[in-house]
Amino acid sequence: QVQLVESGGGLVQAGGSLRLSCVDSGSNFNHLVMGWYRQAPGKDREFVATITRDSSIDYADFAKGRFTISRDNAKNTVYLQMNSLKPDDAGVYYCTGGYYTDTYHPALWGRGTQVTVST
């Protein structure tokens, strides 16, 4: 059984918005640093954003000013609000649960949700 389940992907026009959600069915959500990664066709998977249980946030440079990560600890859910979407934002978006040492270590992965941005 997959612990992290994403939803909210779809087709959107360039300049539009999408809100991704990820529900954690496990019992350790409040102790996890939650995050989002993405992978475009033919490209490596890349970091998007993370959020700690106390809502300390880190963003990739491309996400700053356009994407907002948030979490609802009572619902075991993390969100990614994406605005001003560009064709380069298309890909599969993965929810992660992990921890930080000097860098973020995603220990849990969802199966991903597809985001398509049309011109």
Side-chain angles (χ1 to χ4, degrees):
Q1 184 177 359
V2 178
Q3 181 171 335
L4 304 179
V5 179
E6 304 95 336
S7 62
L11 172 64
V12 64
Q13 286 189 329
S17 299
L18 281 175
R19 188 193 195 205
L20 307 183
S21 300
C22 170
V23 178
D24 178 6
S25 62
S27 60
N28 204 34
F29 181 81
N30 287 348
H31 298 283
L32 292 173
V33 179
M34 302 302 296
W36 291 93
Y37 280 69
R38 71 183 188 182
Q39 187 168 21
K43 296 187 177 180
D44 293 335
R45 195 172 293 186
E46 63 179 348
F47 168 81
V48 177
T50 55
I51 183 168
T52 69
R53 64 178 177 177
D54 298 321
S55 296
S56 177
I57 291 171
D58 189 26
Y59 290 108
D61 286 344
F62 66 80
K64 293 176 182 177
R66 298 190 300 127
F67 294 4
T68 302
I69 189 171
S70 61
R71 66 191 288 165
D72 186 333
N73 291 334
K75 295 182 179 180
N76 280 18
T77 302
V78 61
Y79 305 96
L80 185 68
Q81 176 69 43
M82 303 187 294
N83 299 326
S84 302
L85 283 163
K86 307 173 183 179
D88 285 349
D89 294 319
V92 179
Y93 282 70
Y94 297 92
C95 175
T96 64
Y99 59 94
Y100 268 104
T101 55
D102 55 338
T103 61
Y104 180 58
H105 299 274
L108 300 171
W109 291 83
R111 290 178 173 166
T113 185
Q114 179 72 47
V115 172
T116 304
V117 183
S118 64
T119 56

